Amino acid sequence: RRKQLEYAFLTSLAQAYRDFDELTALALEQTCTQRRVALDVIHRAELVEAWRSMPPFDDVVPALRTIAARGVPLAVLTNGTPVSANAALKLAGLRALLTDVLSVETVRAYKPDPRIYALATQRFDCTPREIVFVSSNPWDAWGASRFGFRVAWCNRSRGVAETLAPSPETTLAGLHELDAFVNACLV
């Protein structure tokens, strides 16, 4: 994952965009080479596919169902390609809960580039403060906070918060806490 994100950051900074599926495969190859692990074509394909079929945490579907039931539009803003993201979300049982899946592919850069977060305000024709943004990545929470979203950092791993300001508005231990934050933001 570290190498995957490193490649995304590098290609954004160098304005040398490659899609996330390709970066994922390249990161896998690089990691295996670094660790002196042989990776044949079949295992490479299986591992790349495993990335697309990871199950969600147990609290994700119930949390999103609760919020969607109140008519709040839900979307994913992903570094992934639209095809891979939609397939993964469908497999995870989440796609039907979402109004949209927004991909960095339209901008050809990766988060935390502000143009990526602007995709959400453009799609929903709103200001940044009208969007509640949730991420488990502290760098993504920082980027979204800097853009002006109301941000919840889902810190399942109990990691250390970024010291770079601005900080997310709240930190969640899991998505079971999300509804209370969304309610507070809607008032």
Side-chain angles (χ1 to χ4, degrees):
R1 175 77 169 145
R2 252 191 323 251
K3 184 56 74 174
Q4 179 192 49
L5 292 174
E6 180 183 321
Y7 282 171
F9 294 152
L10 286 172
T11 58
S12 279
L13 287 171
Q15 296 177 347
Y17 179 82
R18 292 180 173 189
D19 76 45
F20 208 59
D21 291 344
E22 183 181 356
L23 295 182
T24 298
L26 291 170
L28 177 62
E29 289 174 12
Q30 176 64 18
T31 301
C32 287
T33 299
Q34 279 181 326
R35 295 175 189 252
R36 294 179 175 83
V37 173
L39 184 65
D40 60 42
V41 175
I42 293 170
H43 286 105
R44 178 185 184 269
E46 288 173 350
L47 288 171
V48 168
E49 186 55 37
W51 171 253
R52 294 184 190 130
S53 59
M54 293 176 17
F57 286 93
D58 291 341
D59 60 348
V60 174
V61 173
L64 296 184
R65 273 192 189 132
T66 298
I67 295 166
R70 287 187 293 153
V72 175
L74 302 173
V76 168
L77 180 59
T78 180
N79 276 341
T81 65
V83 170
S84 291
N86 278 295
L89 290 162
K90 185 176 180 183
L91 186 64
L94 296 168
R95 184 59 186 98
L97 297 171
L98 303 172
T99 303
D100 211 344
V101 176
L102 307 171
S103 169
V104 301
E105 201 166 84
T106 59
V107 177
R108 298 183 61 79
Y110 290 98
K111 295 186 277 181
D113 186 311
R115 294 174 297 166
I116 307 306
Y117 302 108
L119 292 171
T121 56
Q122 292 161 6
R123 166 59 177 89
F124 293 101
D125 192 26
C126 65
T127 67
R129 289 297 293 166
E130 293 176 273
I131 291 181
V132 172
F133 185 88
V134 182
S135 181
S136 61
N137 297 305
W139 55 267
D140 193 16
W142 173 82
S145 294
R146 188 171 185 289
F147 186 75
F149 290 156
R150 302 193 69 177
V151 177
W153 174 37
C154 186
N155 186 11
R156 293 181 192 280
S157 63
R158 298 182 183 175
V160 177
E162 295 290 340
T163 55
L164 188 61
S167 298
E169 195 167 323
T170 193
T171 299
L172 310 174
L175 289 193
H176 61 280
E177 298 174 348
L178 180 59
D179 191 48
F181 180 61
V182 171
N183 279 335
C185 292
L186 291 175
V187 205

